[in-house]
Amino acid sequence: MARRFSVAGGAPVLRRRPAHQLAARAEGDSPVIPRAGGIIAAGEGSRLRRAGFAMPKPMVPIAGVPLIESVIRNFRAARITPLAIILNEGERDCVEWIRARFPDVDIDFIVKTTQSSLESFGEVTARRPGGPMLVSTVDAWCVAADFVGFVQAASARTADATVLAVTPLIADESPLRVTVGAGGRVTALGGDTGDLVTAGMYLVPERVRTLRPAPGLGRLREFLAWLVRSGEPVYAEVIERVVDVDRADDVALAEALALAGRVS
């Protein structure tokens, strides 16, 4: 049975702030632009392999462009370098491909098969210490302009804020839903209700990068929910269209959006 792609009914809780509002906030709050980025690409991609994609997940093409290339292009468009990229041990060949494709980008590669998304997150955020880091999963597909818009909006938050990209485009069988309160602050993660879901991109402040997770946390989503419950300042910024590319129909949806963007 085909999966259902839907945009949650009604208006999103948050709207992307106009550029003039972002500029005013940035001027008043002295935003700290992330000077380093991280890409989590250590997942096995088993569901895509079962659907017939024989290549490693970072190399799965969207409209002819591998996922890893799309994400690196987004970071470059946002002028965020250097990068730390974690790949699993079955993806070693990707390292040389990336180096050849992006010889001008300073990239620190971590080749390690981790036990969880939280472990991969910890490996990436431990690299390039000092200041905030912008982290993206390799399967969070969006156009570069939307990625740059998220970076600008997230950077306008206070320096101690963790900022999650969220989207009303729900194309996941187990989405992490987000409850947002006044001023865009995240009040809860998880549950069965809500018009927004996490989108696989995070602005992580220096303090959270060095924070030791509570015992028993096994997944990145559990760590993020723990931050919210602990009273950490966690905020949401909307990207209208982000596709979590885990299955063949996710590839089809992302390709439709990519091709629509090229002809618009």
Side-chain angles (χ1 to χ4, degrees):
M1 179 181 295
R3 292 165 61 213
R4 296 173 59 192
F5 299 112
S6 64
V7 177
V13 176
L14 299 175
R15 292 288 188 186
R16 179 171 296 157
R17 286 170 283 164
H20 69 278
Q21 291 183 10
L22 287 174
R25 183 165 190 164
E27 183 178 356
D29 293 346
S30 299
V32 180
I33 304 297
R35 299 301 182 189
I39 300 174
I40 298 173
E44 294 182 354
S46 56
R47 286 169 288 190
L48 284 167
R49 281 205 307 274
R50 288 196 296 269
F53 291 87
M55 69 287 291
K57 186 173 185 179
M59 300 304 296
V60 169
I62 301 297
V65 180
L67 284 170
I68 188 66
E69 180 173 351
S70 293
V71 178
I72 294 174
R73 284 183 182 182
N74 286 351
F75 275 97
R76 193 161 62 177
R79 299 183 179 181
I80 297 176
T81 58
L83 302 178
I85 302 177
I86 185 166
L87 301 150
N88 68 48
E89 292 170 11
E91 299 170 343
R92 289 183 181 274
D93 290 346
C94 295
V95 173
E96 293 308 317
W97 187 93
I98 295 167
R99 282 179 174 153
R101 187 71 182 86
F102 294 97
D104 59 325
V105 179
D106 182 4
I107 301 176
D108 183 6
F109 290 97
I110 308 161
V111 180
K112 179 180 181 181
T113 299
T114 58
Q115 298 300 309
S116 69
S117 54
L118 181 55
E119 183 181 351
S120 296
F121 178 81
E123 289 283 347
V124 165
T125 54
R127 302 296 175 105
R128 311 287 185 169
M133 174 180 271
L134 198 292
V135 178
S136 175
T137 57
V138 75
D139 52 9
W141 184 92
C142 70
V143 299
D146 286 345
F147 184 88
V148 172
F150 167 69
V151 172
Q152 292 173 341
S155 299
R157 296 289 181 183
T158 56
D160 63 343
T162 298
V163 187
L164 315 181
V166 299
T167 182
L169 179 62
I170 302 174
D172 196 315
E173 289 182 347
S174 56
L176 180 58
R177 295 183 183 272
V178 183
T179 303
V180 182
R185 183 154 182 166
V186 175
T187 58
L189 285 176
D192 299 325
T193 60
D195 292 335
L196 298 168
V197 298
T198 55
M201 303 170 209
Y202 320 95
L203 179 63
V204 188
E206 172 68 15
R207 200 181 78 79
V208 172
R209 291 177 64 186
T210 60
L211 197 61
R212 183 183 297 274
L217 299 180
R219 304 171 69 186
L220 178 54
R221 61 171 55 196
E222 294 171 0
F223 174 71
L224 296 173
W226 173 68
L227 289 179
V228 174
R229 292 195 306 270
S230 300
E232 287 288 327
V234 180
Y235 290 87
E237 294 290 349
V238 170
I239 301 179
E240 296 293 339
R241 293 180 178 87
V242 182
V243 181
D244 178 11
V245 181
D246 280 328
R247 296 173 174 81
D249 42 7
D250 299 328
V251 174
L253 176 60
E255 288 191 331
L257 293 173
L259 294 173
R262 290 178 185 177
V263 300
S264 62

